[in-house]
Amino acid sequence: MSKQSSEIDLQIWQVVALIPAGKVATYGDVARMAGLPGAARRVGAALRRLPEDSRIPWHRVINAQGRISLPEGSVSGNTQCFRLEAEGLLLRNNKCLDLEKYRWRP
DNA sequence: ACCGTGACTCTGC
DNA sequence: TGCAGAGCCACGG
């Protein structure tokens, strides 16, 4: 891994770390707040590189449709779903949540 | 430097 | 509501 790419990952992780419990942000939001407007895909890549034991609340990052972008049934996907519910977020139809209600607006 | 890739997003049919 | 297409950005081979 190059030093610069790690810098961007750190930037993204720092933004994600700011999302309060009970709130969520979309990949696009995180990218914009990290100074990388339009680089939503880059955010996903950064989260994928997070260490397994990281305390960064990566589960609070969802897609623009209010749904979990991880494959349904995957270990990480279930973990994200579980953690969101643990924070009191209601998943409509068991997979969709109300962005208007839970979206983090700094 | 070129090209394929992806935990994305928006538009249109 | 669902899916395909086309932008999108940065990375890695």
Side-chain angles (χ1 to χ4, degrees):
Chain A
M1 70 172 99
S2 69
K3 292 180 179 177
Q4 267 201 331
S5 63
S6 294
E7 283 299 314
I8 294 187
D9 284 344
L10 289 175
Q11 248 179 276
I12 292 173
W13 295 347
Q14 286 174 32
V15 171
V16 175
L18 297 177
I19 308 173
K23 291 291 181 180
V24 297
T26 68
Y27 293 91
D29 289 339
V30 174
R32 184 166 43 73
M33 289 186 267
L36 301 166
R41 312 188 73 129
R42 188 64 192 71
V43 174
L47 295 185
R48 189 169 54 76
R49 295 181 180 176
L50 271 174
E52 197 66 38
D53 58 358
S54 172
R55 271 119 62 198
I56 300 293
W58 56 267
H59 56 280
R60 295 176 191 148
V61 182
I62 60 179
N63 62 33
Q65 300 171 29
R67 319 235 280 86
I68 291 175
S69 281
L70 288 163
E72 196 173 353
S74 64
V75 178
S76 48
N78 290 330
T79 298
Q80 179 167 24
C81 185
F82 176 81
R83 290 186 182 176
L84 286 175
E85 293 185 322
E87 292 186 353
L89 286 75
L90 304 178
L91 280 68
R92 301 182 317 211
N93 301 334
N94 201 32
K95 56 173 60 176
C96 217
L97 43 86
D98 194 340
L99 272 180
E100 288 303 303
K101 183 177 180 181
Y102 299 123
R103 195 170 205 166
W104 176 47
R105 301 184 187 74

